[in-house]
Amino acid sequence: MALSLRLHFHGAARTVTGSCFLLETSTARILIDCGMFQGSKSERELNYRPFPFKLSDIDALCLTHAHIDHSGLIPKLVKGGFTGPIYATAATTDLASVMLPDSGHIQELEVEQLNRRNVRRGRPEVTPIYTAEDAVACLTQFRSVRYDTWQNVAPGFRARYWNAGHLLGSSSIEIEATPDSGQEPIRLLFSGDIGPEHKLLQFDPEGPQGCDYLVMESTYGDTDRTDTTPEHRRMMLRDEVKAAIRPNGVLLIPSFAVERTQELMVDLVGLMVVGEIPSAPIFIDSPLATKASEIFRRHAHELENGKELVDALESHMVRFTESVEQSKAIDRIHSFHIIIAASGMCEAGRIRHHLKAWLWRDEATVLLVGFQAQGTLGRILQEGASRVRIHGEEVRVRARIRTLDIYSGHADEPELKAWLQKRLPVQRGLFLVHGEELAMDAFRNALHGIMPDERVFTPEIDEAYELSREKATLIAPTTPRLEPAITGRRDWHNEYSKLVLDINEALEKTADAKARAVVIRRLRRALEEEQ
């Protein structure tokens, strides 16, 4: 009997969130990641659809790392009936123990706010995808694994984890699939999120050489950062802080609570200690960041520059706020201060309250320090919106909006190519995932001469491929890719993206970038109003 192996792409397909891949043989099924979709409204609605597979058929889940776009639907998976083991590194398990309950808590709060509005509008109430209690319940199924050690995860499947250099505990996962005894296994590598060179707290990413199939992220496949050394990064941050200083001002930094916040803390404290910037209070206004920082402290021996992190955590300039009352008390400060709060794309958490309080004031600066996905409030601010809606209210934007995309946890195009070349040969096929279409297409073009074009694939959501020893073959879908409730809606996000390209092409010879940006913002508002 010929070896039969199928790979299904149920997330992170031509988008940067919702990572979820299913490997299937005649004897077992395993998931790699089970992440939450973030970004546009149409993407977020995918979190509410039924899983496109039978939960009782899933034997195990292998988790690359704890970020919510890779782990965020695990509580829903367990709540729905998945009872198998969840394999992750010890650090990922520790981080998931605080990140997943926090995700459930945020959903409960957002649904509570939405239902208050729905009652006023005469609309039916909704329920959260899962609660904090559901998230705590799923943690009992986590099983810790070591790097560079083979682990049997399901009949015919074994996995080996490699440090991905992206986040504390992050991994690329090597899989050997052997559905029939006596046959040589097919080797796959799932990159997870690949960290860049010169990351403050992480060592450079690792991985095996030679595999049959590689599933690889492409988030920054169209980006070539210049100098990203720690010294250059700190000098750029220094300049942004100096430019933001106002007597009664604030520097708001929307930041992922896990790793990005800790990196910023180390650099800001370091700059203040040596006198490169004036000393000012740094408020870490995120209960999740507070808990995550303690986990980082416990795992400091696994980190590069772990001692600097511990020193920053103990600095008198860093102040952690736990309660809502402590968070509100920051508003009473009448001198320059810095607030770091989640979420990094301004989609949830306390940063939205601070933005609502400060965006309309010209003494405020908002510093975006990471990737902003299409449809997120962070991306809307980044693109120059003059007004935004927060908690159902329109807010005028007078604050300075700045971008400093040097803290990314993702490798850029040259770093991705270098990582791929170290993994060669990739014998049968390369699947590009976890990237917006423009970035993915640019990276695919950059691979000419490295990988044959016919062996590079950019799957769509819910597509499946038959993986043989010779090649990957697309399987014709037998069921609709999306639930009727979603396919029946107008996906304004995708239409917006296509129209933006058309507008840019039409105007690039007759208008400058600022003029095009104005047209694009007006188009976005019109589409949002129609939706």
Side-chain angles (χ1 to χ4, degrees), residues 257-383:
V258 181
E259 187 115 348
R260 186 76 46 79
T261 291
Q262 289 74 32
E263 290 175 326
L264 285 163
M265 198 190 315
V266 171
D267 278 348
L268 287 168
V269 170
L271 288 168
M272 291 178 185
V273 166
V274 299
E276 291 282 353
I277 58 175
S279 293
I282 305 167
F283 292 95
I284 311 300
D285 192 22
S286 165
L288 176 59
T290 300
K291 295 173 184 175
S293 294
E294 285 307 306
I295 292 173
F296 272 72
R297 186 198 298 269
R298 292 205 303 268
H299 289 271
H301 62 282
E302 301 174 30
L303 300 171
E304 192 165 17
N305 301 310
K307 184 180 183 305
E308 285 188 58
L309 172 65
V310 173
D311 290 344
L313 290 171
E314 296 175 351
S315 170
H316 70 279
M317 290 172 283
V318 175
R319 306 175 189 181
F320 292 93
T321 57
E322 290 276 357
S323 67
V324 173
E325 290 72 23
Q326 289 174 321
S327 177
K328 290 180 178 179
I330 301 174
D331 293 338
R332 297 195 289 270
I333 295 177
H334 298 295
S335 58
F336 177 74
H337 56 288
I338 299 170
I339 301 174
I340 304 174
S343 70
M345 298 184 193
C346 310
E347 284 297 279
R350 294 182 180 178
I351 191 62
R352 292 176 74 90
H353 294 276
H354 292 300
L355 289 170
K356 187 177 178 181
W358 282 97
L359 274 178
W360 58 275
R361 301 169 64 175
D362 55 16
E363 63 264 41
T365 297
V366 179
L367 181 60
L368 302 171
V369 292
F371 182 79
Q372 307 296 316
Q374 286 280 5
T376 62
L377 176 58
R379 183 67 162 258
I380 293 169
L381 290 170
Q382 192 175 56
E383 291 177 346

Side-chain angles (χ1 to χ4, degrees), residues 134-206:
D134 295 327
V136 171
C138 82
L139 299 174
T140 61
Q141 292 172 224
F142 276 72
R143 304 287 183 269
S144 293
V145 297
R146 296 177 180 272
Y147 285 125
D148 199 21
T149 302
W150 284 108
Q151 170 77 48
N152 292 321
V153 296
F157 286 101
R158 66 175 189 157
R160 181 164 58 168
Y161 286 58
W162 298 82
N163 180 21
H166 168 71
L167 172 73
L168 177 65
S170 65
S171 306
S172 299
I173 303 179
E174 182 183 4
I175 301 285
E176 283 191 352
T178 313
D180 295 317
S181 62
Q183 292 190 335
E184 187 178 345
I186 288 182
R187 294 179 62 234
L188 304 97
L189 179 62
F190 293 82
S191 73
D193 288 350
I194 304 166
E197 297 176 359
H198 308 303
K199 204 163 189 298
L200 179 63
L201 299 177
Q202 298 301 324
F203 294 98
D204 288 344
E206 301 173 339

Side-chain angles (χ1 to χ4, degrees), residues 489-504:
R489 301 177 65 92
R490 177 180 180 184
D491 189 344
W492 73 265
H493 169 67
N494 288 340
E495 186 157 343
Y496 157 78
S497 298
K498 294 174 184 175
L499 287 171
V500 166
L501 293 176
D502 292 341
I503 289 172
N504 272 324

